[in-house]
Amino acid sequence: MTKLDCNVTSCIHNSDNCCCKSAIIVEGNQAKDSYDTFCGSFDENKDGSFRNVFKTPESRLEVDCEASNCVYNEDRHCSASHIGIAGDGAREAGHTECSTFKTR
Ligand code: SF4
């Protein structure tokens, strides 16, 4: 399980810079740099009206990942102990990225 910090506060799953999902998927099967990756689990919190009152932030979660050029990618699964998803103010998934991506 991977510890996740996420600053995409415009996502409905975000709470206190953590993610409330138990698993996410990171996309970017052709990625050569972090900006080629994005969080495929992003859902826009339109006008910021949704508040996640039922779920609590997960400190560790499963990260499936299509970025096979990353050193942490093991059989489409992230093996890093800690990753950061960036994209404050994102309006769509493509505005986010895995900032921990490291080319093999
Ligand atoms: S660190 Fe690498 S393997 Fe892990 S989610 Fe980010 S891009 Fe995918």
Side-chain angles (χ1 to χ4, degrees), residues 80-95:
S81 57
H82 186 182
I83 67 168
I85 300 289
D88 197 15
R91 306 295 308 269
E92 58 185 68
H95 296 159

Side-chain angles (χ1 to χ4, degrees), residues 58-87:
E58 303 282 342
S59 57
R60 292 185 180 276
L61 67 169
E62 298 292 339
V63 180
D64 290 329
C65 182
E66 296 292 327
S68 52
N69 293 329
C70 175
V71 292
Y72 299 113
N73 195 299
E74 288 181 5
D75 206 15
R76 295 185 167 172
H77 194 263
C78 180
S79 65
S81 57
H82 186 182
I83 67 168
I85 300 289

Side-chain angles (χ1 to χ4, degrees), residues 31-38 96-103:
K32 296 203 165 36
D33 210 324
S34 55
Y35 55 73
D36 295 326
T37 65
F38 63 92
T96 68
E97 68 179 42
C98 176
S99 51
T100 309
F101 176 94
K102 197 170 162 195
T103 312

